[in-house]
């Protein structure tokens, strides 16, 4: 007499057949183990995981040079709240990976800017904010100290024009930068690095003597012009009316 198979044993056999032989049971139904894994396991590449972590936590350096920094500082307030983008301002360049150059860069400030950029760890990004940062702006024609573009000093990833750009424009620049970060590859990053900067080229300037040396004061015409006033008496300094007059000191011992 054949033994009767209980429902529990049949269920265990069906489960073993579906999980251990997925090819055999694929025609009937999807294996239970495969469906569970598809809902709990994510398959991705190292580049995508690394870029996803970086684009969601860009830490800008708390740095500004001119009036554009006022617009950048407005992002920290509650009205715009750029913390929702993962942007946490840092005061140390060793903890930042985003440099927003906000404002005019002068030749005196250029070495400090390059030093801050070189102290930032790789990978790092730069946003040139404002017309003065990109091309020198209103100072590009007459100023002798404004740098005509910060890209002559450090490599720039994104240009943000305006005078000054509004905080919403900074959000748009950050979103575009996040798209660039998400498409990067670890193996191709070295091919995109800038190997030459303008500040590494030795300048051809030579020191010259000052034009205005005061020698014109020794000219005969200048001496002749100042001669009539050379013998005039100097006016005596009058005592201010508000100042009290000094009384002669009386010394009993002297009398």
């Amino acid at each position: 007499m054949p033994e009767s198979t209980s429902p529990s044993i049949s269920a265990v056999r069906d489960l073993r057949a579906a999980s251990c032989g997925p090819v055999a049971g694929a025609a009937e139904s999807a294996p239970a183990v495969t469906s569970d894994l598809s809902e709990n396991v994510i398959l991705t590449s190292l580049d995508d995981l690394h870029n996803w972590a970086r684009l969601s936590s860009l830490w800008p350096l708390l740095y500004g040079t001119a009036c554009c920094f006022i617009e950048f500082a407005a992002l920290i307030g509650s009205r715009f709240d750029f913390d929702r983008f993962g942007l946490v301002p840092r005061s140390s360049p060793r903890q930042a990976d985003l440099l927003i150059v906000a404002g005019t860069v002068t030749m005196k400030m250029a070495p400090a800017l390059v030093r801050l950029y070189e102290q930032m760890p790789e990978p790092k990004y730069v946003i040139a904010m404002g017309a003065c940062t990109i091309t020198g702006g209103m100072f590009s024609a007459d100023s002798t100290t404004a740098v005509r573009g910060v890209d002559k000093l450090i490599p720039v990833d994104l240009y943000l024009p305006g005078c000054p750009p509004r905080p919403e424009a900074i959000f748009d620049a950050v979103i575009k930068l996040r798209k660039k970060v998400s498409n990067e590859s670890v193996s191709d990053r070295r091919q995109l690095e800038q190997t030459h900067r303008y500040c590494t080229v030795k300048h051809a300037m030579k020191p010259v003597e000052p034009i205005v040396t005061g020698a014109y004061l020794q000219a005969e015409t200048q001496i002749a012009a100042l001669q009539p006033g050379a013998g005039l008496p100097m006016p005596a300094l009058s005592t201010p009316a508000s100042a009290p007059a000094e009384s002669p000191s009386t010394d009993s011992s002297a009398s």
Side-chain angles (χ1 to χ4, degrees), residues 16-34:
R16 184 179 60 180
S19 58
C20 297
V23 178
E28 300 177 359
S29 63
V33 176
T34 305

mmCIF file with all atom_site columns, all heavy atoms in Angstrom, residues 16-34:
data_model
loop_
_atom_site.group_PDB
_atom_site.id
_atom_site.type_symbol
_atom_site.label_atom_id
_atom_site.label_alt_id
_atom_site.label_comp_id
_atom_site.label_asym_id
_atom_site.label_entity_id
_atom_site.label_seq_id
_atom_site.pdbx_PDB_ins_code
_atom_site.Cartn_x
_atom_site.Cartn_y
_atom_site.Cartn_z
_atom_site.occupancy
_atom_site.B_iso_or_equiv
_atom_site.pdbx_formal_charge
_atom_site.auth_seq_id
_atom_site.auth_comp_id
_atom_site.auth_asym_id
_atom_site.auth_atom_id
_atom_site.pdbx_PDB_model_num
ATOM 1   N N   . ARG A 1 16 ? 11.590 23.305 -2.782  1.00 0.00 ? 16 ARG A N   1
ATOM 2   C CA  . ARG A 1 16 ? 12.954 22.895 -3.125  1.00 0.00 ? 16 ARG A CA  1
ATOM 3   C C   . ARG A 1 16 ? 13.128 22.828 -4.629  1.00 0.00 ? 16 ARG A C   1
ATOM 4   O O   . ARG A 1 16 ? 14.163 23.217 -5.168  1.00 0.00 ? 16 ARG A O   1
ATOM 5   C CB  . ARG A 1 16 ? 13.244 21.540 -2.492  1.00 0.00 ? 16 ARG A CB  1
ATOM 6   C CG  . ARG A 1 16 ? 14.679 21.076 -2.707  1.00 0.00 ? 16 ARG A CG  1
ATOM 7   C CD  . ARG A 1 16 ? 14.917 19.740 -2.030  1.00 0.00 ? 16 ARG A CD  1
ATOM 8   N NE  . ARG A 1 16 ? 14.023 18.706 -2.576  1.00 0.00 ? 16 ARG A NE  1
ATOM 9   C CZ  . ARG A 1 16 ? 14.015 17.444 -2.164  1.00 0.00 ? 16 ARG A CZ  1
ATOM 10  N NH1 . ARG A 1 16 ? 14.809 17.062 -1.169  1.00 0.00 ? 16 ARG A NH1 1
ATOM 11  N NH2 . ARG A 1 16 ? 13.187 16.570 -2.700  1.00 0.00 ? 16 ARG A NH2 1
ATOM 12  N N   . ALA A 1 17 ? 12.119 22.385 -5.309  1.00 0.00 ? 17 ALA A N   1
ATOM 13  C CA  . ALA A 1 17 ? 12.215 22.298 -6.766  1.00 0.00 ? 17 ALA A CA  1
ATOM 14  C C   . ALA A 1 17 ? 12.260 23.691 -7.407  1.00 0.00 ? 17 ALA A C   1
ATOM 15  O O   . ALA A 1 17 ? 12.945 23.904 -8.409  1.00 0.00 ? 17 ALA A O   1
ATOM 16  C CB  . ALA A 1 17 ? 11.043 21.500 -7.321  1.00 0.00 ? 17 ALA A CB  1
ATOM 17  N N   . ALA A 1 18 ? 11.535 24.633 -6.796  1.00 0.00 ? 18 ALA A N   1
ATOM 18  C CA  . ALA A 1 18 ? 11.506 25.980 -7.380  1.00 0.00 ? 18 ALA A CA  1
ATOM 19  C C   . ALA A 1 18 ? 12.768 26.765 -7.087  1.00 0.00 ? 18 ALA A C   1
ATOM 20  O O   . ALA A 1 18 ? 13.213 27.592 -7.895  1.00 0.00 ? 18 ALA A O   1
ATOM 21  C CB  . ALA A 1 18 ? 10.293 26.751 -6.846  1.00 0.00 ? 18 ALA A CB  1
ATOM 22  N N   . SER A 1 19 ? 13.379 26.527 -5.910  1.00 0.00 ? 19 SER A N   1
ATOM 23  C CA  . SER A 1 19 ? 14.559 27.294 -5.523  1.00 0.00 ? 19 SER A CA  1
ATOM 24  C C   . SER A 1 19 ? 15.857 26.661 -5.982  1.00 0.00 ? 19 SER A C   1
ATOM 25  O O   . SER A 1 19 ? 16.780 27.349 -6.381  1.00 0.00 ? 19 SER A O   1
ATOM 26  C CB  . SER A 1 19 ? 14.588 27.483 -3.996  1.00 0.00 ? 19 SER A CB  1
ATOM 27  O OG  . SER A 1 19 ? 14.594 26.220 -3.358  1.00 0.00 ? 19 SER A OG  1
ATOM 28  N N   . CYS A 1 20 ? 15.933 25.344 -5.938  1.00 0.00 ? 20 CYS A N   1
ATOM 29  C CA  . CYS A 1 20 ? 17.183 24.673 -6.293  1.00 0.00 ? 20 CYS A CA  1
ATOM 30  C C   . CYS A 1 20 ? 17.292 24.411 -7.789  1.00 0.00 ? 20 CYS A C   1
ATOM 31  O O   . CYS A 1 20 ? 18.395 24.290 -8.312  1.00 0.00 ? 20 CYS A O   1
ATOM 32  C CB  . CYS A 1 20 ? 17.302 23.346 -5.542  1.00 0.00 ? 20 CYS A CB  1
ATOM 33  S SG  . CYS A 1 20 ? 17.387 23.552 -3.746  1.00 0.00 ? 20 CYS A SG  1
ATOM 34  N N   . GLY A 1 21 ? 16.194 24.318 -8.459  1.00 0.00 ? 21 GLY A N   1
ATOM 35  C CA  . GLY A 1 21 ? 16.248 24.120 -9.911  1.00 0.00 ? 21 GLY A CA  1
ATOM 36  C C   . GLY A 1 21 ? 15.479 25.205 -10.615 1.00 0.00 ? 21 GLY A C   1
ATOM 37  O O   . GLY A 1 21 ? 14.374 24.949 -11.096 1.00 0.00 ? 21 GLY A O   1
ATOM 38  N N   . PRO A 1 22 ? 16.014 26.432 -10.654 1.00 0.00 ? 22 PRO A N   1
ATOM 39  C CA  . PRO A 1 22 ? 15.243 27.536 -11.244 1.00 0.00 ? 22 PRO A CA  1
ATOM 40  C C   . PRO A 1 22 ? 15.053 27.384 -12.739 1.00 0.00 ? 22 PRO A C   1
ATOM 41  O O   . PRO A 1 22 ? 14.089 27.874 -13.287 1.00 0.00 ? 22 PRO A O   1
ATOM 42  C CB  . PRO A 1 22 ? 16.117 28.769 -10.937 1.00 0.00 ? 22 PRO A CB  1
ATOM 43  C CG  . PRO A 1 22 ? 17.504 28.229 -10.749 1.00 0.00 ? 22 PRO A CG  1
ATOM 44  C CD  . PRO A 1 22 ? 17.330 26.871 -10.160 1.00 0.00 ? 22 PRO A CD  1
ATOM 45  N N   . VAL A 1 23 ? 15.974 26.662 -13.402 1.00 0.00 ? 23 VAL A N   1
ATOM 46  C CA  . VAL A 1 23 ? 15.821 26.508 -14.847 1.00 0.00 ? 23 VAL A CA  1
ATOM 47  C C   . VAL A 1 23 ? 14.632 25.607 -15.165 1.00 0.00 ? 23 VAL A C   1
ATOM 48  O O   . VAL A 1 23 ? 13.869 25.841 -16.096 1.00 0.00 ? 23 VAL A O   1
ATOM 49  C CB  . VAL A 1 23 ? 17.111 25.933 -15.459 1.00 0.00 ? 23 VAL A CB  1
ATOM 50  C CG1 . VAL A 1 23 ? 16.952 25.721 -16.960 1.00 0.00 ? 23 VAL A CG1 1
ATOM 51  C CG2 . VAL A 1 23 ? 18.267 26.869 -15.177 1.00 0.00 ? 23 VAL A CG2 1
ATOM 52  N N   . ALA A 1 24 ? 14.496 24.574 -14.343 1.00 0.00 ? 24 ALA A N   1
ATOM 53  C CA  . ALA A 1 24 ? 13.397 23.648 -14.587 1.00 0.00 ? 24 ALA A CA  1
ATOM 54  C C   . ALA A 1 24 ? 12.055 24.288 -14.298 1.00 0.00 ? 24 ALA A C   1
ATOM 55  O O   . ALA A 1 24 ? 11.083 24.042 -14.992 1.00 0.00 ? 24 ALA A O   1
ATOM 56  C CB  . ALA A 1 24 ? 13.581 22.394 -13.730 1.00 0.00 ? 24 ALA A CB  1
ATOM 57  N N   . GLY A 1 25 ? 11.999 25.139 -13.279 1.00 0.00 ? 25 GLY A N   1
ATOM 58  C CA  . GLY A 1 25 ? 10.715 25.733 -12.929 1.00 0.00 ? 25 GLY A CA  1
ATOM 59  C C   . GLY A 1 25 ? 10.485 27.090 -13.538 1.00 0.00 ? 25 GLY A C   1
ATOM 60  O O   . GLY A 1 25 ? 9.543  27.777 -13.169 1.00 0.00 ? 25 GLY A O   1
ATOM 61  N N   . ALA A 1 26 ? 11.364 27.511 -14.468 1.00 0.00 ? 26 ALA A N   1
ATOM 62  C CA  . ALA A 1 26 ? 11.193 28.840 -15.043 1.00 0.00 ? 26 ALA A CA  1
ATOM 63  C C   . ALA A 1 26 ? 9.976  28.911 -15.935 1.00 0.00 ? 26 ALA A C   1
ATOM 64  O O   . ALA A 1 26 ? 9.364  29.970 -16.089 1.00 0.00 ? 26 ALA A O   1
ATOM 65  C CB  . ALA A 1 26 ? 12.454 29.226 -15.839 1.00 0.00 ? 26 ALA A CB  1
ATOM 66  N N   . ALA A 1 27 ? 9.636  27.794 -16.545 1.00 0.00 ? 27 ALA A N   1
ATOM 67  C CA  . ALA A 1 27 ? 8.479  27.828 -17.441 1.00 0.00 ? 27 ALA A CA  1
ATOM 68  C C   . ALA A 1 27 ? 7.186  27.998 -16.680 1.00 0.00 ? 27 ALA A C   1
ATOM 69  O O   . ALA A 1 27 ? 6.224  28.559 -17.193 1.00 0.00 ? 27 ALA A O   1
ATOM 70  C CB  . ALA A 1 27 ? 8.448  26.539 -18.276 1.00 0.00 ? 27 ALA A CB  1
ATOM 71  N N   . GLU A 1 28 ? 7.136  27.486 -15.460 1.00 0.00 ? 28 GLU A N   1
ATOM 72  C CA  . GLU A 1 28 ? 5.902  27.568 -14.693 1.00 0.00 ? 28 GLU A CA  1
ATOM 73  C C   . GLU A 1 28 ? 5.784  28.906 -13.968 1.00 0.00 ? 28 GLU A C   1
ATOM 74  O O   . GLU A 1 28 ? 4.801  29.623 -14.126 1.00 0.00 ? 28 GLU A O   1
ATOM 75  C CB  . GLU A 1 28 ? 5.847  26.409 -13.689 1.00 0.00 ? 28 GLU A CB  1
ATOM 76  C CG  . GLU A 1 28 ? 5.893  25.038 -14.367 1.00 0.00 ? 28 GLU A CG  1
ATOM 77  C CD  . GLU A 1 28 ? 5.914  23.925 -13.352 1.00 0.00 ? 28 GLU A CD  1
ATOM 78  O OE1 . GLU A 1 28 ? 5.912  24.246 -12.131 1.00 0.00 ? 28 GLU A OE1 1
ATOM 79  O OE2 . GLU A 1 28 ? 5.942  22.749 -13.752 1.00 0.00 ? 28 GLU A OE2 1
ATOM 80  N N   . SER A 1 29 ? 6.800  29.278 -13.154 1.00 0.00 ? 29 SER A N   1
ATOM 81  C CA  . SER A 1 29 ? 6.749  30.525 -12.378 1.00 0.00 ? 29 SER A CA  1
ATOM 82  C C   . SER A 1 29 ? 8.174  30.958 -12.058 1.00 0.00 ? 29 SER A C   1
ATOM 83  O O   . SER A 1 29 ? 9.099  30.148 -12.085 1.00 0.00 ? 29 SER A O   1
ATOM 84  C CB  . SER A 1 29 ? 5.937  30.327 -11.093 1.00 0.00 ? 29 SER A CB  1
ATOM 85  O OG  . SER A 1 29 ? 6.573  29.360 -10.272 1.00 0.00 ? 29 SER A OG  1
ATOM 86  N N   . ALA A 1 30 ? 8.337  32.230 -11.717 1.00 0.00 ? 30 ALA A N   1
ATOM 87  C CA  . ALA A 1 30 ? 9.649  32.756 -11.373 1.00 0.00 ? 30 ALA A CA  1
ATOM 88  C C   . ALA A 1 30 ? 10.091 32.191 -10.045 1.00 0.00 ? 30 ALA A C   1
ATOM 89  O O   . ALA A 1 30 ? 9.277  32.018 -9.127  1.00 0.00 ? 30 ALA A O   1
ATOM 90  C CB  . ALA A 1 30 ? 9.606  34.276 -11.309 1.00 0.00 ? 30 ALA A CB  1
ATOM 91  N N   . PRO A 1 31 ? 11.366 31.862 -9.898  1.00 0.00 ? 31 PRO A N   1
ATOM 92  C CA  . PRO A 1 31 ? 11.848 31.314 -8.620  1.00 0.00 ? 31 PRO A CA  1
ATOM 93  C C   . PRO A 1 31 ? 11.659 32.331 -7.498  1.00 0.00 ? 31 PRO A C   1
ATOM 94  O O   . PRO A 1 31 ? 11.807 33.535 -7.677  1.00 0.00 ? 31 PRO A O   1
ATOM 95  C CB  . PRO A 1 31 ? 13.328 31.048 -8.883  1.00 0.00 ? 31 PRO A CB  1
ATOM 96  C CG  . PRO A 1 31 ? 13.449 30.958 -10.367 1.00 0.00 ? 31 PRO A CG  1
ATOM 97  C CD  . PRO A 1 31 ? 12.409 31.885 -10.909 1.00 0.00 ? 31 PRO A CD  1
ATOM 98  N N   . ALA A 1 32 ? 11.347 31.811 -6.334  1.00 0.00 ? 32 ALA A N   1
ATOM 99  C CA  . ALA A 1 32 ? 11.089 32.706 -5.203  1.00 0.00 ? 32 ALA A CA  1
ATOM 100 C C   . ALA A 1 32 ? 12.360 33.411 -4.752  1.00 0.00 ? 32 ALA A C   1
ATOM 101 O O   . ALA A 1 32 ? 12.333 34.579 -4.383  1.00 0.00 ? 32 ALA A O   1
ATOM 102 C CB  . ALA A 1 32 ? 10.482 31.909 -4.046  1.00 0.00 ? 32 ALA A CB  1
ATOM 103 N N   . VAL A 1 33 ? 13.479 32.711 -4.810  1.00 0.00 ? 33 VAL A N   1
ATOM 104 C CA  . VAL A 1 33 ? 14.730 33.315 -4.376  1.00 0.00 ? 33 VAL A CA  1
ATOM 105 C C   . VAL A 1 33 ? 15.123 34.457 -5.306  1.00 0.00 ? 33 VAL A C   1
ATOM 106 O O   . VAL A 1 33 ? 15.569 35.512 -4.876  1.00 0.00 ? 33 VAL A O   1
ATOM 107 C CB  . VAL A 1 33 ? 15.838 32.244 -4.316  1.00 0.00 ? 33 VAL A CB  1
ATOM 108 C CG1 . VAL A 1 33 ? 17.183 32.873 -3.963  1.00 0.00 ? 33 VAL A CG1 1
ATOM 109 C CG2 . VAL A 1 33 ? 15.471 31.165 -3.317  1.00 0.00 ? 33 VAL A CG2 1
ATOM 110 N N   . THR A 1 34 ? 14.925 34.288 -6.589  1.00 0.00 ? 34 THR A N   1
ATOM 111 C CA  . THR A 1 34 ? 15.286 35.330 -7.544  1.00 0.00 ? 34 THR A CA  1
ATOM 112 C C   . THR A 1 34 ? 14.438 36.579 -7.353  1.00 0.00 ? 34 THR A C   1
ATOM 113 O O   . THR A 1 34 ? 14.929 37.698 -7.419  1.00 0.00 ? 34 THR A O   1
ATOM 114 C CB  . THR A 1 34 ? 15.137 34.803 -8.972  1.00 0.00 ? 34 THR A CB  1
ATOM 115 O OG1 . THR A 1 34 ? 15.903 33.615 -9.110  1.00 0.00 ? 34 THR A OG1 1
ATOM 116 C CG2 . THR A 1 34 ? 15.593 35.832 -9.983  1.00 0.00 ? 34 THR A CG2 1
#
